[in-house]
């Protein structure tokens, strides 16, 4: 899953992973995460998710990281919102109202200073977008760059891999603990079976999939 894979998916609009609406679990469980309401939120591999606008509208400075320039442009155009574009390396920054930024580039190029103000992370589509051999690198990099005060709201998808070829990939509860358990206290808030009208259930024919929501906080 090199960069070209994702660039091709966006170019060809093969973006079945894009929800198109605000995620129900974000809406339901974000109040448990945001104690002050103005914490800076990091959204890795964000695509053009409407979740970023939802977070922004509730007073959070938002920093999305996305590889595809098409996704970044679509994000603002579809919302009829203007953004200043600051070309650079390794990231081109799209900035709206100085409180919502999309950083276009490789997540793995982020350094601790880039995210020093981040206090919350929202991951609905990053971990499950990566194949098994990349998920360890993702977790290690996230742990390395995040400030100690940062907490994570993580949403995963689990299913029989014989029923569907990812992405999105199946990530089990055990794998979440294996990836993050050394650094974070992990609370599984809930696990729900995929409903019949869920996009993955309808489009991919999943019969026994489930979604889980986790809250991760650094160990003392």
């Amino acid at each position: 899953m090199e960069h070209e894979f994702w660039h091709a998916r966006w170019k060809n609009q093969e973006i079945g992973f894009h929800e198109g609406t605000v995620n129900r679990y974000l809406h339901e469980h974000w109040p448990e995460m945001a104690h002050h309401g103005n914490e800076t939120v990091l959204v890795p591999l964000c695509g053009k998710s409407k979740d970023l606008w939802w977070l922004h509208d509730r007073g959070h400075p938002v920093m999305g990281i996305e590889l595809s320039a098409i996704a970044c442009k679509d994000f603002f155009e579809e919302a009829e919102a203007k953004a200043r574009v600051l070309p650079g390396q390794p990231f081109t920054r799209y900035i709206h109202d100085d409180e919502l930024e999309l950083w276009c580039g490789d997540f793995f190029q982020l350094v601790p200073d880039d995210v020093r103000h981040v206090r919350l992370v929202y991951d609905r589509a990053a971990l499950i977008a990566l194949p098994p051999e990349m998920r360890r690198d993702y977790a290690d990099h996230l742990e390395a760059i995040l400030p100690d005060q940062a907490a994570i709201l993580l949403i995963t998808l689990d299913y029989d891999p014989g029923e569907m070829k990812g992405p999105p990939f199946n990530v089990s509860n055990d794998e979440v603990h294996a990836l993050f358990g050394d650094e974070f206290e992990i609370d599984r808030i809930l696990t729900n079976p995929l409903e019949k009208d869920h996009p993955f259930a309808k489009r991919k024919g999943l019969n026994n999939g489930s979604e889980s929501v986790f809250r991760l906080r650094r160990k003392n």
Side-chain angles (χ1 to χ4, degrees):
M1 298 191 68
E2 301 296 332
H3 291 181
E4 290 74 15
F5 173 88
W6 292 110
H7 287 310
R9 293 289 290 265
W10 280 100
K11 181 179 179 181
N12 298 325
Q13 290 297 294
E14 297 173 351
I15 53 172
F17 46 82
H18 175 64
E19 279 195 312
T21 59
V22 175
N23 183 271
R24 59 174 288 196
Y25 299 122
L26 172 64
H27 187 274
E28 293 171 2
H29 296 287
W30 192 250
E32 303 167 24
M33 303 292 297
H35 299 299
H36 302 290
N38 61 353
E39 300 94 334
T40 298
V41 182
L42 174 68
V43 186
L45 284 62
C46 63
K48 59 177 183 178
S49 172
K50 295 183 183 298
D51 295 343
L52 278 71
W53 288 117
W54 189 91
L55 291 164
H56 171 262
D57 291 344
R58 276 146 188 80
H60 291 284
V62 179
M63 178 183 179
I65 311 299
E66 171 54 43
L67 182 65
S68 169
I70 294 173
C72 292
K73 293 174 182 176
D74 285 354
F75 174 78
F76 291 104
E77 289 178 0
E78 291 177 7
E80 298 182 350
K82 293 183 179 180
R84 290 183 290 124
V85 182
L86 301 180
Q89 290 294 332
F91 296 98
T92 292
R93 296 165 60 197
Y94 296 73
I95 303 173
H96 172 77
D97 287 347
D98 294 325
E99 293 294 321
L100 193 159
E101 300 189 14
L102 292 193
W103 287 33
C104 186
D106 185 348
F107 165 81
F108 291 99
Q109 294 296 312
L110 284 174
V111 298
D113 192 54
D114 294 330
V115 297
R116 64 190 183 280
H117 300 307
V118 168
R119 293 297 176 267
L120 295 170
V121 178
Y122 170 58
D123 179 347
R124 181 202 71 83
L127 187 65
I128 63 174
L130 301 172
E133 62 272 17
M134 293 185 69
R135 293 200 284 267
R136 167 52 65 190
D137 291 340
Y138 169 80
D140 287 349
H141 190 63
L142 199 59
E143 292 169 359
I145 63 175
L146 284 179
D148 289 341
Q149 308 94 318
I152 304 170
L153 183 68
L154 171 66
I155 301 171
T156 61
L157 176 67
D158 195 10
Y159 59 85
D160 179 351
E163 292 189 0
M164 184 179 100
K165 179 180 179 182
F169 294 95
N170 62 302
V171 177
S172 68
N173 176 54
D174 288 343
E175 184 173 1
V176 171
H177 281 268
L179 290 172
F180 294 102
D182 289 344
E183 291 288 330
F184 291 89
E185 298 286 352
I186 301 172
D187 295 317
R188 183 167 59 170
I189 300 171
L190 63 82
T191 295
N192 281 338
L194 286 185
E195 298 176 356
K196 292 183 179 180
D197 62 348
H198 190 286
F200 296 140
K202 291 193 298 184
R203 187 169 54 251
K204 301 293 187 177
L206 294 181
N207 295 313
N208 299 303
S210 62
E211 291 180 299
S212 293
V213 182
F214 298 87
R215 181 174 56 240
L216 283 65
R217 300 188 187 278
R218 290 276 193 183
K219 293 181 177 179
N220 296 328

